Amino acid sequence: MAALFKARRALGMVVGHGVRCLSQLAELPELHQMMRQTCRDYAQKELAPIAAQLDKDHKFPAKQVKELGAMGVMAVEVPESLGGAGMDYLAYCLAVEELSRGCASTGVIVSVNNSLYLGPILKFGTEEQKKQWITPFTTGDKVGCFALSEPGNGSDAGAASTLAQQEGDEWVLNGTKAWITNCWDASATVVFATTDKSLKHKGISAFLVPMPHPGLSLGKKEDKLGIRASSTANIILEDCRIPLGNMLGERGMGFKIAMQTLDSGRLGIAAQALGIAQAALDCAADYAHKRTAFGAPIGKLQAIQFKLADMALATESARLLTWRAAMLRDAKKPFTKEAAMAKLAASEAATFVSHQAIQVLGGMGYVTDMPAERHYRDARITEIYEGTSEIQRLVIANNILKEYQQ
Amino acid sequence: MSGRVLVGVKRVIDYAVKIRVKPDRTGVVTDGVKHSMNPFCEIAVEEAVKLKEKKLVKEVVAVSCGPQQVQETIRTALAMGADRGIHVEVSGKDYETLGPLQVSKIFAALAKKEQADLIILGKQAIDDDCNQTGQMTAALLDWPQGTFASEVSFEADKLKVVREIDGGLETIKINLPAVVTADLRLNTPRYATLPNIMKAKKKKIANVKPADLGVDVCSRLEVLKVDEPPQRQAGVKVETVEDLVGKLKEAGRV
């Protein structure tokens, strides 16, 4: 009897909350629709026309980042009191997708600033730290970055070899961080370093370091396959001294901060991948109408139709996973498994869709006259950063096995 | 002086959409087609919001005439910074035949009701290209008008308007209350910021019927048919200037 009541109550809560979630999956609330349209308009008018040139020149879109800052997009989840837009994570995912549809590099610049830099400070920072390290980074004038990976470890984040030693009233950081997005354009970074090697991953702590700063130097800008308008390089720390107050969270909390930050960050990347996939689909579908072969537009051919259907299916499925994970996070429910699923689905969709888009365009897909080749190059990294597809599969599997715990 | 500005915003088919004529040739296809705010209305809203930010006016009221969907357009104006909205409900056949004369009567009535000091409209809508509503509204109210404005400023208690005319620019000074219509170079409309989109949700949109304003929306015009523009014909290449003049004379153009 008691079990029946418990079950009914649980069902009621799921249904009550589930109805709101389900209707949002079917159609976004008006607020989110307006916000999505604004970002779409901005991306179409201000990003898409310059994306090819930004990619060619490896140029950071400083003007656009400032404009996006003024719109509130560089700090979507940050409360208004700290200078942000005070919106939810679903809104943030919509924004990143629409912006990435115009320019994938701009999408990742926005995503890294929001999820990887502002995210952990918002969650784990003291009030003082928030004022100092968040507010100036909401306007688009300054962007931040996230330094976890090292030349010796990417997926193996617990093996961090960057050291942090306390010397009086300072922390002294020594080591090298690798593959840091935004770093050549950033004014601050969240750095992960070991304060206690013997504790292994429980000995890692997080620190806030301004940029530029004595003892912090940048490696050469990587010459990447895609997302070339965003800078990626090593961060080299040599006797880099920061005040004790620059530790983020508690000593030894670093790994936990990193993992929780990446949980959310991967939704930002999922959104970026969705934008790239959508842009590639736009390109292919448009071409299918215009290009004629065998006496008719190629869109009339089943081979092309099947491709477009599969491309749209992959994109829409990944989109719904992303929205659901974002809504779970907004509802403060566990979302780790769903976020991993979203990132995996979206990144694999991006590479699949952009690959097929080139196929639909034929020879035209291989040249820079059409954006298809850029989408193909931009998509590839989404399966790697912020947790490789292999890591995502491990996260999903671990969660499933836990659910079925004997 | 109430310091109140009325801004008209029209919901039109988005400028980037390829227009298709309906098979029965009574109009263009609007079902499922992307609509947005008329670009000149965006410029009008931007100007009104700028005046408010400079503290030259106190309140910006966005007005749109049409069915339920125009509320989206009003909300966009609110997200850009307008303070409140008025939705004048016109739907069905009345909406299909709604034109500048009826809209200007509605605006004139609203201006009196709201005691507005200034009406800013787009110079024309990109669907009908009438370029009449501003002028008719001013005439109905017996207010001065500054049309095709590329610059608007206050000078003492008058309005200085720089107008784009065929010969160049004309500067006029007009008394308030007045009607201004916005031309392309008046300003660059802002993108709504996310916080403003959120604030827009809380701003009020009042519902009003034309009958409440004493306006009859019956149209004096009847659309006979709507056709696509003629297909572009291939041109003819000529070798010399003499040939060109000869061909033009043949075609009766010179």
Side-chain angles (χ1 to χ4, degrees), chain A residues 154-167:
Chain A
S155 294
D156 190 6
S161 66
T162 303
L163 284 172
Q165 285 158 314
Q166 191 175 346
E167 274 179 31

Side-chain angles (χ1 to χ4, degrees), chain A residues 282-296:
Chain A
D282 293 344
C283 185
D286 187 63
Y287 197 76
H289 271 302
K290 294 187 174 136
R291 171 75 176 172
T292 54
F294 303 101

Side-chain angles (χ1 to χ4, degrees), chain A residues 289-330:
Chain A
H289 271 302
K290 294 187 174 136
R291 171 75 176 172
T292 54
F294 303 101
I298 60 173
K300 294 267 184 230
L301 301 166
Q302 280 191 338
I304 301 297
Q305 289 179 353
F306 287 167
K307 279 191 205 298
L308 293 174
D310 288 336
M311 288 156 77
L313 175 61
T315 310
E316 194 62 26
S317 313
R319 184 174 289 131
L320 290 179
L321 273 170
T322 307
W323 287 7
R324 187 164 129 75
M327 292 194 294
L328 284 170
R329 185 187 184 282
D330 286 333

Side-chain angles (χ1 to χ4, degrees), chain B residues 125-144:
Chain B
I126 61 170
D127 51 7
D128 56 24
D129 283 326
C130 283
N131 179 10
Q132 296 168 355
T133 308
Q135 292 85 335
M136 285 177 171
T137 309
L140 287 168
L141 288 165
D142 198 24
W143 285 8

Side-chain angles (χ1 to χ4, degrees), chain A residues 30-31 34-35 37-38 41-42 45-46 70-73 76 80 85-87, chain B residues 14-15 34 42 71-72 75-76 79 191-195 197-201:
Chain A
E30 198 195 337
L31 193 66
M34 280 183 75
M35 188 249 143
Q37 191 60 49
T38 302
D41 288 341
Y42 185 86
K45 289 190 197 130
E46 311 286 341
M71 283 165 70
V73 172
V76 180
E80 283 192 71
M87 291 186 82
Chain B
D14 187 82
Y15 75 93
K34 184 177 179 212
E42 281 182 358
Q71 295 221 358
E72 282 166 33
R75 286 242 178 265
T76 307
Y191 289 97
T193 66
L194 269 45
I197 292 177
M198 288 213 297
K199 287 196 191 108
K201 224 184 160 201

Side-chain angles (χ1 to χ4, degrees), chain B residues 88-90 94 106 109 208-218:
Chain B
V88 181
E89 293 167 7
V90 181
D94 283 339
I106 291 171
V208 157
K209 291 196 178 49
D212 301 339
L213 301 168
V215 174
D216 170 20
V217 289
C218 184

